[in-house]
Amino acid sequence: MASSENQGLQIALIIFVMLTIVLSVTTFAFFRQYEDADLRARADSEKASKSDADLRTATDEIMSLKKMMGFSEQAKLPEIQASFAEDIKTYVAGIPEEKQFYRQALEYTYNTLHEKDLELAAARVEIQTEKDERSKVEAAKQAQVEAAESKQRQAEEALAEANKIFESERSKKNEELETLKAQVDKKNQEMTELAETKKKEIDTVTVDRDKLVRTNQFLNEKILEIDPTSGFEVPDGKILWVNQKARSVWVNVGQADGLQRQVTFSVVGSGEEVGGDQQTKGRIEVTEILGPHFAECRILEDELYDPIVQDDKIFTPLWQPGRSESFALVGGFDLDGDGVDDRDMIRSLIRMAGGRVDAEVDLKGKKTGELTMNTRYLVKGTPPEDRAALEGDFTNIQKEAARLGVRDLTIDKFLDHVGWKDPKQVLRFGRRGNAEDVPPEQPDGGRAIAPGQVSELFRTRRPPGRRGAGVPGTTGPKNKSAY
């Protein structure tokens, strides 16, 4: 029992000692913190006192600067900044950016004013010098003016005297002019009467000429009705010999007749007239001049049922033995239907045969050259669509051709007589032929094919079989005909 009580006291004593130690440590810690806080409070108080002193000093300086800058003590910074920017913009706009402050601005302004004062002083000196010079010039000019006025008075007196003489002379000239005017009026009246007389004579001659043109045209038409071949007169030559195998012929015209290579002739039979409306039996082209009256030609076109033979006649409107023909072209010439004028090809056909073109009128109505008495044919193409071009030289050249007796020739008739064919429309067979590209003209849409059985001569050949092979129809001498 006694030991239990001692043990409780010991525990209580231990707890008391521990609490005493904890309390002592806590008290010491709080005391240290109090000392540190007191030191910091004293330091902050000193700093605050110093800051208040600095603030009062800065405030006094700001107030002094505001007074120096001309602002009130109540002026705020934005107001001062705005005023500063406006002053810089208004008074010292040209100052460099690094000097845009009041002190530098004042210095810059002072220097600028000083320079301007110096320039102003120099300008005043120069102005005074100019005034002195001007005074001297004015004095000299005044003397010149007085001299000029004196000369002017003398000139006016001389002018007045000259005017008197001029008026006298003008009166005389007016009288002469009236006389000349009367003479001119008389001459004009005589010329008017003469012009009226000549106009009546011209009208009479024009009427007579028109009658003659119509008569000439009527006679030409009647001549063509009576003798359609009169336009081509006589054949240009004849066929001397024909080699159908070589597709060559020989004719009786040559170098002495002025014949040239590549001249194309139309061919008619020996008993037919030349140049009529009948169909030609073929066309030939000169390939070689062999002698004075001898030339070789190649056959361009002929008929299987009516071939070219000896003594057939040849002719072309482009050429005559011993001389070349003259042509006139009027209108448009689209030979292949592509919408492009082929006038150059017509010229080439004429020139290749030694002919020439005397005059032309194109689809725009533009005329070149003139018809002559030697112009033989007027080749007519399609008329222009423009009314002004149609009624201009296009019509006039046809009237002139009728007056001169030039024969009209349509482009189709011309091409038929010269033997020209569109190469695009010619059907060619062979390895380089165009048979596959030329559309058929049969109503059923295909080329004609021989119906029925084919002759033995045209059957496909086959080699004979070996003798005794037992193949029917392939042995024995009967099969030799298959070769």
Side-chain angles (χ1 to χ4, degrees):
M1 187 72 180
S3 61
S4 298
E5 290 178 358
N6 291 332
Q7 187 178 5
L9 288 174
Q10 291 176 358
I11 292 171
L13 181 61
I14 291 170
I15 292 173
F16 177 75
V17 171
M18 290 178 65
L19 290 174
T20 301
I21 293 170
V22 170
L23 181 61
S24 299
V25 171
T26 304
T27 301
F28 179 76
F30 279 115
F31 180 75
R32 292 293 297 177
Q33 291 178 358
Y34 172 76
E35 287 183 349
D36 293 339
D38 185 53
L39 291 175
R40 285 196 298 272
R42 290 178 182 178
D44 291 340
S45 177
E46 291 177 358
K47 289 181 180 179
S49 298
K50 185 178 180 181
S51 297
D52 289 341
D54 293 340
L55 178 61
R56 283 194 296 273
T57 303
T59 302
D60 294 338
E61 291 177 353
I62 291 172
M63 293 300 176
S64 299
L65 287 174
K66 286 183 179 180
K67 290 180 180 180
M68 292 171 63
M69 294 171 63
F71 295 101
S72 63
E73 294 181 358
Q74 291 77 22
K76 302 298 183 181
L77 180 60
E79 179 183 353
I80 295 173
Q81 290 175 338
S83 178
F84 172 77
E86 187 66 25
D87 291 342
I88 293 297
K89 181 179 179 181
T90 303
Y91 302 112
V92 286
I95 190 173
E97 186 175 356
E98 64 274 9
K99 294 185 177 181
Q100 290 183 358
F101 302 101
Y102 278 125
R103 181 176 181 81
Q104 287 83 354
L106 290 174
E107 182 179 359
Y108 175 81
T109 303
Y110 171 77
N111 293 334
T112 302
L113 290 175
H114 183 66
E115 291 175 359
K116 296 299 180 183
D117 288 340
L118 295 177
E119 292 177 0
L120 181 60
R124 286 174 179 173
V125 172
E126 186 176 354
I127 290 171
Q128 185 61 41
T129 304
E130 291 291 337
K131 286 182 178 180
D132 296 340
E133 293 292 335
R134 185 179 297 176
S135 298
K136 294 178 181 179
V137 172
E138 290 292 337
K141 186 169 64 175
Q142 184 61 31
Q144 294 176 355
V145 168
E146 293 176 355
E149 290 176 349
S150 176
K151 291 181 180 180
Q152 182 180 1
R153 286 192 296 271
Q154 295 175 3
E156 289 175 353
E157 293 174 357
L159 179 61
E161 185 65 25
N163 284 337
K164 291 179 181 179
I165 298 172
F166 173 76
E167 289 296 333
S168 175
E169 292 294 331
R170 185 170 66 175
S171 299
K172 293 179 182 179
K173 293 298 180 183
N174 285 338
E175 293 175 359
E176 294 176 0
L177 183 60
E178 290 295 332
T179 303
L180 290 175
K181 185 178 179 182
Q183 294 175 357
V184 170
D185 291 340
K186 184 178 179 180
K187 290 293 182 182
N188 285 338
Q189 185 177 359
E190 293 175 356
M191 292 299 294
T192 301
E193 295 174 356
L194 181 61
E196 292 176 355
T197 303
K198 293 298 181 183
K199 185 177 182 300
K200 292 178 181 179
E201 294 177 359
I202 292 172
D203 292 340
T204 303
V205 172
T206 302
V207 172
D208 294 340
R209 187 196 66 180
D210 293 339
K211 290 180 180 179
L212 291 174
V213 169
R214 289 194 295 270
T215 303
N216 185 31
Q217 186 175 0
F218 175 76
L219 292 176
N220 287 334
E221 293 174 356
K222 287 297 181 183
I223 291 172
L224 291 176
E225 290 177 3
I226 296 170
D227 183 10
T229 66
S230 61
F232 295 103
E233 299 173 354
V234 295
D236 298 321
K238 68 177 182 178
I239 303 293
L240 297 178
W241 187 61
V242 181
N243 184 349
Q244 282 287 354
K245 185 176 181 180
R247 302 291 290 169
S248 300
V249 298
W250 285 261
V251 296
N252 65 340
V253 288
Q255 184 177 7
D257 302 305
L259 184 65
Q260 299 180 14
R261 295 177 60 186
Q262 295 185 330
V263 175
T264 304
F265 291 99
S266 296
V267 182
V268 298
S270 58
E272 296 183 6
E273 297 293 340
V274 175
D277 293 330
Q278 79 283 356
Q279 292 292 328
T280 58
K281 66 187 300 185
R283 299 184 301 119
I284 61 175
E285 180 185 10
V286 178
T287 57
E288 198 70 37
I289 309 298
L290 302 176
H293 302 287
F294 193 54
E296 181 181 354
C297 307
R298 66 186 179 98
I299 299 176
L300 299 177
E301 181 182 329
D302 62 351
E303 299 290 347
L304 182 63
Y305 59 85
D306 188 13
I308 297 173
V309 297
Q310 185 177 352
D311 293 330
D312 282 347
K313 300 175 183 179
I314 62 173
F315 72 95
T316 176
L318 298 176
W319 176 85
Q320 277 195 351
R323 69 184 180 91
S324 59
E325 298 293 357
S326 298
F327 293 79
L329 307 179
V330 58
F333 303 96
D334 185 5
L335 304 183
D336 50 10
D338 60 354
V340 179
D341 192 17
D342 296 317
R343 181 180 297 266
D344 290 339
M345 184 176 292
I346 301 297
R347 294 195 195 100
S348 297
L349 289 173
I350 295 172
R351 289 168 183 164
M352 283 170 59
R356 64 177 181 272
V357 178
D358 289 339
E360 294 185 55
V361 176
D362 59 16
L363 280 174
K364 296 182 180 180
K366 182 181 179 182
K367 180 183 178 184
T368 56
E370 294 292 339
L371 294 176
T372 67
M373 295 298 296
N374 295 323
T375 306
R376 190 172 185 188
Y377 301 106
L378 177 67
V379 183
K380 299 172 67 174
T382 56
E385 298 180 357
D386 183 64
R387 185 176 181 84
L390 183 63
E391 295 177 352
D393 288 331
F394 183 84
T395 301
N396 295 336
I397 195 171
Q398 296 184 66
K399 293 180 180 179
E400 182 70 9
R403 185 180 69 82
L404 295 175
V406 179
R407 180 177 176 181
D408 287 349
L409 201 62
T410 64
I411 182 60
D412 294 334
K413 198 67 177 176
F414 170 82
L415 294 176
D416 181 60
H417 287 320
V418 302
W420 182 87
K421 296 291 183 182
D422 186 358
K424 297 180 182 178
Q425 300 177 1
V426 176
L427 183 61
R428 299 187 301 276
F429 295 92
R431 234 173 22 174
R432 298 186 180 180
N434 63 345
E436 297 299 329
D437 300 329
V438 177
E441 298 182 356
Q442 286 78 8
D444 60 357
R447 296 193 183 90
I449 300 175
Q453 298 297 323
V454 181
S455 171
E456 289 287 336
L457 298 175
F458 297 98
R459 292 198 177 201
T460 305
R461 296 184 299 172
R462 296 182 176 86
R466 291 178 299 170
R467 186 179 300 276
V471 179
T474 61
T475 61
K478 291 182 180 179
N479 292 325
K480 292 182 179 180
S481 63
Y483 285 91

